[in-house]
Each structure stands twice: as structure tokens, then as C-alpha cells.
């Protein structure tokens, strides 16, 4: 819930970004981070586990910091992160 007592929308459009609130998506319950990423609008993940938004490569942030996980380890790491730990970067 937001500070105004109103539930957040699953997808929020901002001037400079789109925010996907995974905690609002009931279909991700019981899955893992890779399940959540599959549901993010406009996001694609290629065979090398590189993330793309609208065709442009983007960066994975963990705790608002660039991830140092190698591409080979990203898939395994995402499978160990429960969706309840995923929060949008503000």
C-alpha cells in the first residue's frame, strides 16, 4: 500500500522509467526472480542472459547497485531469489 492507503498499480509509468511492482502480481507468487522477469512489460532476456528493454541492453541492479554477477551465473542466481525480495528501484 502506498502512504495514501491506496494499493500500487502493477505497472507505473513515469517520465523516465516504467516501474513493475512484482509484489502486486499474484501470478509470481511461489516462483522465483526469473519468473518475475518474464512478466515485466517490454523486457526480454536473450540466450546470453542479457537484459533488453525495447531492444536496448539494460543493466541488472541488486540493491540499487550494478550487479557483478557474470552472465553465466545470472540465470542460476535468479532462480534462487524469491519474488518477495524484489522491489522496484525508485
Amino acid at each position: 500500500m502506498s502512504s495514501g492507503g491506496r494499493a500500487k498499480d502493477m505497472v507505473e509509468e513515469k517520465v523516465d522509467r516504467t516501474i513493475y511492482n512484482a509484489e502486486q502480481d499474484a501470478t509470481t507468487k511461489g516462483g522465483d526472480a526469473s519468473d518475475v522477469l518474464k512478466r515485466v512489460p517490454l523486457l526480454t532476456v536473450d540466450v546470453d542472459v542479457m537484459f533488453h528493454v525495447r531492444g536496448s541492453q539494460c543493466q541488472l541492479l541488486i540493491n540499487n547497485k550494478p550487479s557483478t554477477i557474470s552472465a553465466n551465473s545470472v540465470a542460476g542466481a535468479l532462480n534462487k531469489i524469491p519474488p518477495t525480495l524484489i522491489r522496484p528501484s525508485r
Side-chain angles (χ1 to χ4, degrees), residues 1-67:
M1 299 280 274
S2 65
S3 59
R6 184 175 149 285
K8 291 183 204 172
D9 291 328
M10 188 168 39
V11 177
E12 298 176 57
E13 293 291 334
K14 303 288 184 180
V15 173
D16 60 341
R17 65 188 172 267
T18 300
I19 300 170
Y20 172 72
N21 294 299
E23 67 271 14
Q24 299 300 323
D25 189 347
T27 64
T28 63
K29 304 293 186 251
D32 56 41
S34 62
D35 295 324
V36 172
L37 289 174
K38 291 173 189 170
R39 303 270 307 146
V40 176
L42 307 174
L43 179 74
T44 57
V45 183
D46 67 20
V47 294
D48 295 321
V49 196
M50 301 303 285
F51 302 95
H52 301 271
V53 175
R54 295 183 181 150
S56 298
Q57 189 171 342
C58 60
Q59 190 171 33
L60 175 65
L61 301 178
I62 298 176
N63 294 329
N64 288 327
K65 297 176 184 160
S67 169

